[in-house]
Every structure is written in C-alpha cells, then in structure tokens.
Amino acid sequence: MLNLVLFGPPGAGKGTQSQKLIEKHGLIHLSTGDLLRGEISQGTALGLEAKKLMDEGMLVPDEVVIGMISNKLDANKEAEGFIFDGFPRTVAQAEALDNLLESKAATISHMIALEVDAEELERRLLERGKESGRADDANPEVIRKRIKEYNDKTAPVAGFYKNQDKFKSINGIGSIDQIYGAIDAVIEQ
Ligand code: ADP
C-alpha cells in the first residue's frame, strides 16, 4: 500500500496536488475538510457543530475527525492506498492514525510537506475565496486565525514524521506540474 500524508498550511496546494495523485496512482483521497463540508451541506448534527468552529478558523475536535477517518478506512478495505489531506492536523491525530493503520497491518509511507510562505498563502486564499464561496477563505482575519492554528497545533506534526524518518519537504511555489514532479520523485524513490 502507498499511504501519503500531504502536509502544509491552508492554501499550500494540498487539494490541487491530491487530484493529480489520484489520477496517476489510483489512491483514495481523504480530505477531512471536504468530509466536514459534506456533513455541513447535509445538515447533520456533526456538521452544525463543526461549522461554528470552521467559520472562526479553529480546528474541530480530534475525536470528530478521527471518527470520520476511521469510518472511511473501514469503507475502503480493498484500496491500493490513501492520500490524507488536511489530516492529521494535531499530534494526537497523527498517533490515532498510526493506530488505525496498524490494526490493518498498514503504515504511512511518506509525509509530503508543501512549503509556501505566509504572504503567498494569504494571497492564494483570498483569491480562492472569490470563487469557492468558502466563508473561511473570504475574511483576512479568519485566514490569519487558520494560519495561527496551523503554526500552534499542526506544525508539530512534522516532527512526529521526522522522528519516523518519513518527512519529505517540497517547494510549494512554482507551476502545478513542477510541484507534482517533485512529489512524484519522492514516491518513485
Ligand atoms: P485548508 O487547509 O485550506 O484550511 P481544509 O478544507 O483542510 O482547508 O479545512 C477547513 C477547516 O476544516 C479547518 O480550518 C478546520 O476548521 C476544519 N478541519 C479540517 N480538517 C481538520 C482536522 N484534521 N482537524 C481539525 N479540524 C479540521
């Protein structure tokens, strides 16, 4: 199995690169952001609870996203592998993911970190907000809150995978194909 964690701050290009990875490697894409937005559009209790936090740029509780990922792993038992996009976002989530995979005799192959500076991130997110209709992309204050949550809670997840010798850093500035090429080089190694 090929199991990748795509890592990087909001706006780093994780979703865009996931699409290309799905096409080429036939992996199943698990984006906790997309799963949460699905719950919101279906008007579930979980979605209602998550929406308040997401609109403020805060993380939703670990148990919620871990539960969603666990369900998806169970629902895709025959998969060739997974791309985890926007998950794990805390060290507790990373530990839970290791345990979930271990129970399936699987493991994370690589964490691929897309490096993009803060100024470029804010520019990309405001640009995306014009099209995506995502409330959390339209407001500079919420964007800054998301980047702060990332620096406080998510950045330490890199250390978790560095300790396991799985951390690979990629320059996230350049053309989509250039960046994809760098990711693919890691996978083909
Ligand atoms: P981005 O990475 O571009 O900010 P996402 O679609 O990945 O966007 O996430 C949007 C929001 O969903 C986050 O700001 C957060 O509130 C929530 N979220 C997504 N994934 C997680 C997660 N793994 N843990 C906690 N909250 C999450």
Side-chain angles (χ1 to χ4, degrees), residues 3-8 14 18 29-36 59-70 73 82-101 108 110-112 150 154 157 161:
N3 293 310
L4 304 175
V5 172
L6 265 190
F7 188 71
K14 302 184 293 287
S18 292
H29 181 213
L30 296 183
S31 154
T32 41
D34 288 350
L35 293 172
L36 290 167
L59 294 185
V60 306
D62 288 337
E63 313 80 72
V64 172
V65 287
I66 293 166
M68 290 194 315
I69 291 287
S70 173
L73 292 178
F82 295 92
I83 306 170
F84 298 95
D85 164 4
F87 179 91
R89 248 178 164 95
T90 63
V91 172
Q93 291 178 22
E95 285 165 351
L97 179 59
D98 267 5
N99 290 334
L100 287 172
L101 290 173
I108 292 296
H110 310 281
M111 164 185 262
I112 295 176
Y150 176 83
T154 306
V157 177
Y161 290 98

Side-chain angles (χ1 to χ4, degrees), residues 14 19 24-25 64 69 100 105 109 121 131 138 141 152 156 167 170 186:
K14 302 184 293 287
Q19 287 313 316
K24 175 138 185 235
H25 294 279
V64 172
I69 291 287
L100 287 172
S109 316
L121 293 174
E131 313 261 301
E141 212 175 298
D152 292 350
F167 178 88
I170 303 262
V186 168

Side-chain angles (χ1 to χ4, degrees), residues 1 7 10 29 46-47 63 74 76 109 137 153 169 181 184 189:
M1 267 181 114
F7 188 71
H29 181 213
L46 190 160
E63 313 80 72
D74 286 342
N76 291 285
S109 316
D137 281 346
K153 297 178 185 160
S169 170
D184 225 23
Q189 257 170 31

